[in-house]
Amino acid sequence: MMFTNDKPIFQQMADRLSDEILACVYQDDDRIPSVREYAVTLEVNTNTAVKAYEQLARENIIYNKRGMGYYVTPGAREQILRDRRKSFLEQQLPELFRQMKLLGLGLKDIEAAWEKEASV
């Protein structure tokens, strides 16, 4: 995984695992890779993976079965969708609109770009 400098690595790991839940790689009550397995897969320190898992557990996206590992909390996918949609509408979309105004782009331009992307 290629990490960026815009947010901490543990947060990017949590986002990736959330992406995998959104993509239905892991579904309700599925076991996810252990902290060590995920750390090895992403080539990061185990402590960093622990922080990512702890964050997801605090957000009730995953839960720990003592001695068994971590599992996807039922309804986690829907929760992630709700949270990300809210974040997109409140944080990213206003910036997109600002950039569109500055660049003189309209909804037709965005629709054309969407159609091009959707056909790929």
Side-chain angles (χ1 to χ4, degrees):
M1 177 173 176
M2 296 294 295
F3 296 104
T4 62
N5 291 326
D6 63 337
K7 60 173 116 170
I9 291 174
F10 80 90
Q11 179 63 56
Q12 293 176 65
M13 290 179 67
D15 289 347
R16 177 184 164 141
L17 193 49
S18 293
D19 289 348
E20 292 171 346
I21 293 169
L22 284 176
C24 298
V25 172
Y26 305 111
Q27 298 184 25
D28 290 355
D29 291 315
D30 280 354
R31 185 181 178 281
I32 61 173
S34 72
V35 171
R36 285 193 180 108
E37 290 169 339
Y38 213 54
V40 168
T41 298
L42 299 181
E43 299 177 348
V44 299
N45 185 292
T46 303
N47 292 330
T48 303
V50 167
K51 287 175 71 173
Y53 277 52
E54 286 174 346
Q55 176 182 329
L56 290 171
R58 278 192 309 273
E59 293 173 358
N60 206 29
I61 302 298
I62 61 174
Y63 65 94
N64 188 1
K65 284 187 183 178
R66 191 175 178 125
M68 301 289 290
Y70 282 93
Y71 294 78
V72 177
T73 302
R77 185 175 188 280
E78 292 75 20
Q79 179 182 337
I80 295 166
L81 278 171
R82 269 192 317 273
D83 293 347
R84 289 201 177 171
R85 286 174 177 161
K86 182 179 180 192
S87 174
F88 179 79
L89 291 171
E90 293 176 357
Q91 296 171 11
Q92 294 167 302
L93 199 55
E95 176 59 19
L96 176 65
F97 289 155
R98 187 181 81 77
Q99 288 294 324
M100 287 173 63
K101 286 178 188 174
L102 288 172
L103 299 172
L105 294 171
L107 290 177
K108 289 182 182 179
D109 299 307
I110 300 304
E111 186 176 0
W114 174 262
E115 293 296 328
K116 182 180 177 185
E117 181 66 26
S119 68
V120 174

